[in-house]
Amino acid sequence: MAIQIFGSSKSFDTKKAERWFSERRIAVQKIDLKDKGIARAELESVVSATAKRLGSRTDAIDSLADKKHKDYASFAYLDDEDKFDKLLDNPMLLVQPLVRNGKTDATAGFCPEIWQNWQ
């Protein structure tokens, strides 16, 4: 299992996710969104995996944006492709943590009920 956790060191949900995997002795790769950001291909992979679960790319992109973030207002009224680009330009606007299992599974936020089914 190749687990990647995208988040920031100040995010409590990111810390909880790291602890959840650590308690189960599952190795993870941590990527700090504030320092490193997220690559286009990685974000595309997360959007695709989320779209499988939610049914559409539009819903997936909307679900990845943190509605409590101060820059959400500038995100909410953009077109879909512009929203994707805005998330790339401002990765701190993403819901944290983004947890990715390979290229096929991904979650946004603290979702242990989904992670426990990853094998």
Side-chain angles (χ1 to χ4, degrees), residues 43-62:
L43 184 57
E44 190 62 54
S45 171
V46 171
V47 168
S48 297
T50 307
K52 280 194 298 187
R53 201 170 53 255
L54 296 179
S56 78
R57 179 177 168 84
T58 301
D59 292 341
I61 291 172
D62 286 338

Side-chain angles (χ1 to χ4, degrees), residues 44-90:
E44 190 62 54
S45 171
V46 171
V47 168
S48 297
T50 307
K52 280 194 298 187
R53 201 170 53 255
L54 296 179
S56 78
R57 179 177 168 84
T58 301
D59 292 341
I61 291 172
D62 286 338
S63 74
L64 294 177
D66 184 359
K67 293 171 179 52
K68 296 175 187 171
H69 193 276
K70 62 181 173 131
D71 293 335
Y72 182 76
S74 66
F75 170 86
Y77 298 104
L78 297 172
D79 292 334
D80 288 339
E81 205 49 45
D82 293 336
K83 286 181 178 181
F84 183 85
D85 291 337
K86 179 79 170 182
L87 291 175
L88 274 176
D89 293 341
N90 186 0

